[in-house]
Amino acid sequence: MPHETTPAPAAAMTDATLRRRRFAGASTQLGTEVSINFGSSLAGLVIPVVGSFVVVAVRQLVMAIAVLPFYRPKRAELTWRRLRPALALGVVLAVMNVTFYESVDRLGLGIAATIEFLGPLAIALFTSRRLLDLACALAAGAGVLLLIGPWAGGSGETDAAASASGVDPIGVVLALTAAASWAAYILLTRRVATRLPGLEGLTVASLVSLALLVPFAVATLDVGALDWRIVGLLLGVGVLSSALPYSLDTYILRRITPRLYAIITSFGPVIAAIFGALVLGERFTFVEAIAIVVVCGAAGLALATQRDRPVTPLEATAQAIP
């Protein structure tokens, strides 16, 4: 019998190759954060015209078109027990996107994105026993309190309205609902990934979400408000916020660790605030700007100091696949 050796593709790669792969993955991940938040800023432009349900429905339609070509189900596999997590994921996906866009319309993109980020941050810190993580969680909570307290201004409104009314409490509830939905989305995505291969779970979830949203979108759509500019913006939201980033996630996660992925994601609220200012004309008080930085900084610190778990040979092989 010939002598067998255990393949070690990760070890075979030079440090320079690993650095290039890591840089390519991190750069692409940063690009997807820019894409998602630019898409959200375009959604902020079009929501007052057609409403959140239409925006989210078009976004899910574009996403479904992007992933459907990769979905080849077998009739025997279409069982309730097998697809139940993906069906639940579709419901959560619809709730998450509608409540987030509604909160953007009421609070502004920067504040809504910062509050929504509490969802994945809570997942990251929930099982931790470190005092540093507790301190980071308290800092993030304090940052959000600065954003929604009675002294806050409400960057999504005009200056006069903001100073008079403060932050919209319904908008805050919607953003917190989006945060809870994002946390549920993360947990359900893990279950779907272990039960359904490839993009099957994401495809089923997209179709369920689209089916739930279409009746509301049709009921609230003002056809007279549609023109080529509005249609172009809607398609832009779908491509930038769904089709492009989801299609790149596999490429990214083969090149960087989940921890680095999460760290880069933690800068999402800052990127959202920048696009809120550039595209939507939002203005932030000094306190609001500090609060957004505090939330992102607390999240980044907590994630950056987590220890990476050991990589199995199978995972090392997967990371070596281009």
Side-chain angles (χ1 to χ4, degrees):
M1 178 180 292
H3 177 67
E4 296 182 357
T5 58
T6 303
M13 288 191 289
T14 65
D15 289 343
T17 301
L18 288 172
R19 283 195 298 269
R20 283 196 298 269
R21 288 172 59 83
R22 193 177 301 117
F23 178 78
S27 300
T28 306
Q29 167 65 1
L30 184 59
T32 62
E33 286 300 314
V34 171
S35 176
I36 290 169
N37 287 291
F38 181 39
S40 294
S41 68
L42 296 184
L45 292 175
V46 76
I47 286 172
V49 180
V50 298
S52 298
F53 285 108
V54 174
V55 175
V56 180
V58 172
R59 173 177 167 173
Q60 293 305 115
L61 176 62
V62 172
M63 181 173 163
I65 291 173
V67 298
L68 267 176
F70 304 98
Y71 183 43
R72 296 290 185 271
K74 299 176 182 177
R75 169 168 276 182
E77 296 176 345
L78 299 178
T79 63
W80 165 255
R81 182 174 182 180
R82 186 170 183 272
L83 296 179
R84 185 168 51 190
L87 298 176
L89 182 62
V91 175
V92 167
L93 196 60
V95 173
M96 178 178 70
N97 287 324
V98 169
T99 54
F100 174 67
Y101 283 143
E102 280 291 321
S103 68
V104 168
D105 192 39
R106 291 172 175 271
L107 301 176
L109 178 57
I111 293 178
T114 304
I115 297 174
E116 188 199 29
F117 187 69
L118 291 180
L121 180 60
I123 292 293
L125 299 181
F126 183 73
T127 58
S128 175
R129 298 294 183 268
R130 300 189 311 165
L131 289 177
L132 176 60
D133 289 339
L134 175 60
C136 289
L138 292 175
V144 171
L145 183 61
L146 288 175
L147 286 176
I148 66 176
W151 49 81
S155 60
E157 307 174 73
T158 62
D159 291 342
S163 60
S165 63
V167 171
D168 186 331
I170 297 178
V172 172
V173 172
L174 288 167
L176 290 172
T177 302
S181 300
W182 194 355
Y185 172 83
I186 293 170
L187 296 175
L188 283 170
T189 298
R190 290 176 180 171
R191 290 188 61 189
V192 168
T194 60
R195 292 194 181 190
L196 302 174
L199 294 175
E200 183 177 343
L202 181 60
T203 305
V204 172
S206 299
L207 294 175
V208 170
S209 177
L210 183 60
L212 291 173
L213 292 166
V214 164
F216 295 98
V218 171
T220 57
L221 175 63
D222 178 10
V223 178
L226 295 178
D227 56 30
W228 288 111
R229 174 179 172 271
I230 297 299
V231 172
L233 286 171
L234 288 171
L235 292 176
V237 172
V239 171
L240 293 169
S241 294
S242 288
L244 184 61
Y246 279 114
S247 64
L248 290 173
D249 268 353
T250 300
Y251 171 89
I252 293 166
L253 287 170
R254 283 175 173 169
R255 285 160 175 78
I256 64 176
T257 62
R259 179 167 67 108
L260 180 55
Y261 183 97
I263 292 170
I264 295 173
T265 302
S266 71
F267 293 101
V270 170
I271 298 173
I274 292 172
F275 278 116
L278 293 177
V279 178
L280 301 176
E282 296 174 4
R283 295 185 178 182
F284 301 95
T285 66
F286 177 76
V287 172
E288 288 171 340
I290 292 297
I292 292 172
V293 171
V294 165
V295 173
C296 293
L301 177 61
L303 295 168
T305 55
Q306 298 287 336
R307 291 183 179 179
D308 288 328
R309 62 180 178 82
V311 178
T312 66
L314 180 60
E315 291 171 324
T317 303
Q319 290 173 0
I321 299 173

